[in-house]
Amino acid sequence: MAGSTPTQGRHPAHNKAIGLAVAAAVGGFLFGFDSSVINGAVDAIQGQFGLGSTLTGFAVAVALLGCAVGAWAGGRLADHWGRTRVMVLGAVLFFVSSILSAIAFSVWDLIVWRVLAGVGIGIASVIAPAYIAEIAPAALRGRLGSLQQLAITLGIFAALLSDQLLQEAAGGASEVLWLGWEAWRWMFLVAVVPAAVYGILALRIPESPRYLVAKGRRDEAVQVLRSVLGADEDPEERVSQIEATIKKDQENAEKATLRGSRFGLLPVVWTGILLSVFQQFVGINVIFYYSTTLWQAVGFDESQSFLVSTITSVTNVLVTFIAIALIDKVGRRPILLTGSAGMTISLAVMAIAFTQSTGSGDDVSLPGAWGPVALVAANAFVVFFGASWGPLVWVLLGEMFPNRIRAAALGVAAAAQWIANFLITVTFPPLLSQFGATGPYLMYAIFAGLSFVFVLGKVPETKGVELEDMENLPPARRR
């Protein structure tokens, strides 16, 4: 495997790789935008359609089930249609669903359109890391893979900002804004803009070299790689490596399956699934989906709570740059282990702080210094997650699987992530009602601690390893 020095890593040809990675990562922006855009519309939708709390919660979370379907199918479609065509499909689904959600006449058709949006987002979420991993030079793969999470955090921030601006312009999410439409409808309609941008970019970027070689389009694959690799990597040699692995896969076609001896799946597939599940089971989306309740509990009023939520989302964006700067220098495992330790401590502090809370339901407060303690701990949790598990899981999912099963395995792992996200989203309100905030935050702290043990024993170090060599990592690199 050819090595890369830091100077070589800044070869001018890498600018093309960076541009292609940014274009693919716009799918992550859709991911983040969609996961947060409904937050500003929840109360208005509940009032518009006269919903109870259970149906409201389901309408909020149901898109995540569509995401799981999209992620599961997206990996398989990518192997048959190509990465870029499937990106276009995801963009079209999200574009159409955004319009239909905006003109919904009942909660039931809104739920259908939200599921459709979820399918599009699920597709985008699984294709972007696979494409970036396959297009990137080894020396830059970690940093470019981290762009997926950066785009997600930017999407979350853009959705929060968009919702706030539209709500303020109308005087409330349920108030009429333009063309006789309430502000909450415009919140959904705005999403057509990033969807259109993503679709246009997907039509303009080249296909993955791995897919081109698999389809016998060798010259095109060489041309693509020549445009993105630095002087230290030979595109002809890289294509030859891809051809060799594809030939090996064809000779061992029976091995081109996710099935294995560990509960029906290959061990590496389980590693990817558990990475995805732990990323969600630490409760990061509770901070973003239910942040208003949290900040009001520590003493802020409703308007201040929105400001703090926005600041938290900005923090989430900024700390992602820490991971981007360190991932190809320090490696994946040390960053994940540091993040797990930091999340465990900060979540435990939050759980302890809420043992001192008074009141119940939405009327909860923390006396004395406990409010600031919970505030600092919550933001510390966001920092540790945003600088580690947020971006690095997507990087690992894009690069850790053998070539013959990469797209399909990534689809399964991403589907598991969406299902885990759904479970965390729908279980937080009843857990909060039953045990107060201490119960769920203590549970998330336990999962964060378990994630440390999991990384220590099962997650391989993939820094600097070519995708074609992933299956041949020595045991020391896999432990």
Side-chain angles (χ1 to χ4, degrees):
M1 182 189 72
S4 296
T5 66
T7 301
Q8 290 170 324
R10 293 192 295 270
H11 190 279
H14 290 169
N15 293 334
K16 178 69 175 292
I18 294 170
L20 295 179
V22 169
V26 174
F29 184 93
L30 294 186
F31 174 168
F33 195 96
D34 182 70
S35 68
S36 291
V37 73
I38 196 171
N39 290 345
V42 171
D43 291 341
I45 291 171
Q46 187 172 15
Q48 178 99 18
F49 300 126
L51 308 180
S53 58
T54 300
L55 189 53
T56 301
F58 182 73
V60 171
V62 71
L64 301 175
L65 297 180
C67 290
V69 173
W72 177 82
R76 287 157 176 76
L77 289 175
D79 283 335
H80 292 288
W81 295 355
R83 280 44 167 165
T84 55
R85 289 180 183 175
V86 177
M87 288 182 193
V88 173
L89 173 62
V92 170
L93 289 174
F94 190 64
F95 185 94
V96 171
S97 65
S98 298
I99 296 173
L100 294 174
S101 295
I103 62 176
F105 57 85
S106 73
V107 68
W108 299 112
D109 71 310
L110 177 62
I111 285 173
V112 172
W113 310 140
R114 291 294 296 157
V115 171
L116 186 64
V119 173
I121 296 306
I123 288 173
S125 73
V126 73
I127 298 304
Y131 179 86
I132 292 171
E134 292 172 350
I135 203 78
L140 293 177
R141 197 176 60 239
R143 278 168 280 180
L144 297 186
S146 299
L147 292 176
Q148 165 85 341
Q149 179 65 18
L150 178 62
I152 292 171
T153 61
L154 288 172
I156 292 171
F157 171 71
L160 289 171
L161 182 61
S162 172
D163 284 359
Q164 179 67 4
L165 292 175
L166 291 169
Q167 180 175 315
E168 289 183 351
S174 59
E175 301 299 321
V176 173
L177 183 53
W178 300 305
L179 304 179
W181 285 14
E182 298 90 345
W184 70 265
R185 297 184 184 274
W186 287 98
M187 292 175 185
F188 288 119
L189 192 61
V190 166
V192 302
V193 176
V197 170
Y198 183 52
I200 292 170
L201 289 174
L203 288 170
R204 295 177 62 86
I205 63 177
E207 185 51 82
S208 156
R210 165 77 185 180
Y211 176 79
L212 292 173
V213 173
K215 296 302 179 181
R217 296 155 64 182
R218 188 182 198 281
D219 291 343
E220 291 179 60
V222 171
Q223 184 178 357
V224 172
L225 286 170
R226 182 171 287 119
S227 71
V228 298
L229 297 179
D232 56 308
E233 293 187 69
D234 181 1
E236 291 281 356
E237 180 184 351
R238 179 87 168 261
V239 168
S240 296
Q241 291 175 339
I242 296 173
E243 286 177 327
T245 59
I246 290 176
K247 182 179 178 180
K248 182 180 177 181
D249 293 345
Q250 291 171 342
E251 292 173 350
N252 300 277
E254 71 278 0
K255 294 182 179 180
T257 175
L258 306 186
R259 296 178 181 176
S261 58
R262 301 288 180 86
F263 301 102
L265 294 174
L266 294 170
V268 70
V269 178
W270 278 116
T271 299
I273 289 172
L274 289 173
L275 274 170
S276 290
V277 169
F278 276 123
Q279 189 200 50
Q280 295 302 315
F281 274 15
V282 297
I284 185 62
N285 283 313
V286 166
I287 298 294
F288 292 110
Y289 292 171
Y290 300 101
S291 56
T292 300
T293 300
L294 173 64
W295 303 137
Q296 286 177 330
V298 302
F300 293 105
D301 61 31
E302 187 174 359
S303 62
Q304 291 172 327
S305 294
F306 178 84
L307 176 61
V308 175
S309 296
T310 303
I311 292 172
T312 301
S313 70
V314 172
T315 301
N316 195 26
V317 172
L318 295 178
V319 297
T320 304
F321 287 101
I322 297 175
I324 292 174
L326 296 178
I327 186 170
D328 286 320
K329 298 177 182 178
V330 176
R332 283 58 162 160
R333 280 166 49 90
I335 297 175
L336 285 176
L337 290 170
T338 302
S340 293
M343 291 189 300
T344 302
I345 295 170
S346 54
L347 286 166
V349 170
M350 289 180 68
I352 293 170
F354 276 99
T355 62
Q356 307 301 310
S357 64
T358 58
S360 60
D362 293 332
D363 186 21
V364 176
S365 61
L366 291 173
W370 288 109
V373 167
L375 179 64
V376 171
N379 280 283
F381 167 59
V382 171
V383 168
F384 280 111
F385 177 89
S388 62
W389 277 79
L392 266 70
V393 167
W394 289 111
V395 172
L396 282 165
L397 293 182
E399 66 186 10
M400 66 184 287
F401 299 116
N403 279 324
R404 66 180 183 273
I405 63 168
R406 176 172 297 113
L410 209 163
V412 170
Q417 185 173 131
W418 287 112
I419 293 171
N421 190 341
F422 175 80
L423 292 174
I424 288 296
T425 301
V426 299
T427 57
F428 180 74
L431 285 172
L432 184 66
S433 175
Q434 183 72 26
F435 303 105
T438 295
Y441 287 125
L442 179 59
M443 182 179 72
Y444 305 148
I446 292 171
F447 280 120
L450 290 174
S451 74
F452 183 94
V453 177
F454 171 67
V455 172
L456 200 61
K458 297 297 182 182
V459 177
E461 179 55 74
T462 54
K463 178 172 73 77
V465 180
E466 293 285 2
L467 292 185
E468 310 307 316
D469 297 329
M470 285 294 172
E471 197 167 7
N472 300 317
L473 285 178
R477 298 293 296 273
R478 284 196 170 275
R479 293 186 65 82

